[in-house]
Structures are given as C-alpha cells and as structure tokens.
Amino acid sequence: MEVNINAYWQAVAAQDRESLAGWFAPGAVIRWHCTNERFTPAEFIEANCQYPGQWQGRVERALWAGDQLITVTLVSAVDGSLSCHVSSFFRFQDGKILSLDEYWADDGPPPRWRQEMQLGDKIV
C-alpha cells in the first residue's frame, strides 16, 4: 500500500482540521499510550488542533511491518521552545487510518543521575 505519510504529518503540524479528517476511516481509534487516552478521529483532531503554538514535523523513519506502518517523527514548536519524538503505529483500511497507536516523548537532557555517571555520548 502506498501512503504519503509526510503529507499526514504536515497536516498534523499545520493543525489542518479539514485535511486531517480525510485521513481517518469511519470508526477509527487513536490511542496515546503515554497519557492513557483513547480518541475518536473527531476528538483526536480537536485535541491536535487546539494544542497551543505553531508546529513543524519531520518524519525521521518510516517502516512497513506487515500491515502496519511505523514512523518516528520529530515534532517541534516553530519558536524552538519544545520538541518531541513520537513513535506511531498505523493500520490502514482502503488508504484510511483504521487505528493509530502513539507514544510521545519530550526531548531533553538525560536525568542528572545519568549525567553524573558520565554515561554515553550525544547522538547529534
């Protein structure tokens, strides 16, 4: 199946309600596991579009695993005040998102205890 996942993430970052609505199959389910929330497409779109600020996104990885598309995306505030990495697991039906499971993580420094141990190096 061919999906323009970059276009999806552009719609998410632009908080484009109309475009986002066209991505979901009837009865689709969206889950944000880190905050234990489940949404209908309408609820997901409302939560996404009401989030304050202006956003940009860049898909860093995309991989098909059977019938599931897995992406890792960097989502950041245009003003540089916040960035997150999100791991997303998409299932599609007839080119529309049937289910979406996401794990959002704020980017930031390692915890102090790990810094004090001087473990690891920066990725970039």
Side-chain angles (χ1 to χ4, degrees):
M1 169 185 308
E2 194 166 320
V3 173
N4 185 349
I5 202 63
N6 289 312
Y8 168 79
W9 279 107
Q10 288 172 355
V12 169
Q15 298 173 310
D16 182 343
R17 290 175 188 273
E18 197 171 310
S19 179
L20 284 172
W23 278 93
F24 293 94
V29 175
I30 301 94
R31 298 174 195 91
W32 287 350
H33 292 271
C34 296
T35 51
N36 194 29
E37 296 174 276
R38 181 179 64 196
F39 301 101
T40 65
E43 292 169 330
F44 168 81
I45 292 167
E46 187 67 17
N48 183 76
C49 292
Q50 289 297 324
Y51 201 91
Q54 293 182 313
W55 300 92
Q56 55 195 1
R58 182 181 79 240
V59 176
E60 294 185 339
R61 294 183 184 189
L63 172 70
W64 281 98
D67 66 343
Q68 192 166 219
L69 175 60
I70 303 167
T71 64
V72 176
T73 305
L74 172 62
V75 176
S76 58
V78 171
D79 68 8
S81 63
L82 178 68
S83 70
C84 301
H85 275 86
V86 56
S87 300
S88 304
F89 298 79
F90 297 85
R91 290 194 189 277
F92 291 88
Q93 179 179 14
D94 300 324
K96 304 283 186 182
I97 299 169
L98 185 59
S99 68
L100 173 57
D101 290 271
E102 292 190 320
Y103 302 84
W104 287 77
D106 292 348
D107 294 336
R112 179 173 293 289
W113 67 269
R114 225 167 35 240
Q115 290 179 29
E116 290 171 355
M117 292 178 67
Q118 298 180 350
L119 297 174
D121 294 311
K122 290 188 176 184
I123 296 171
V124 289

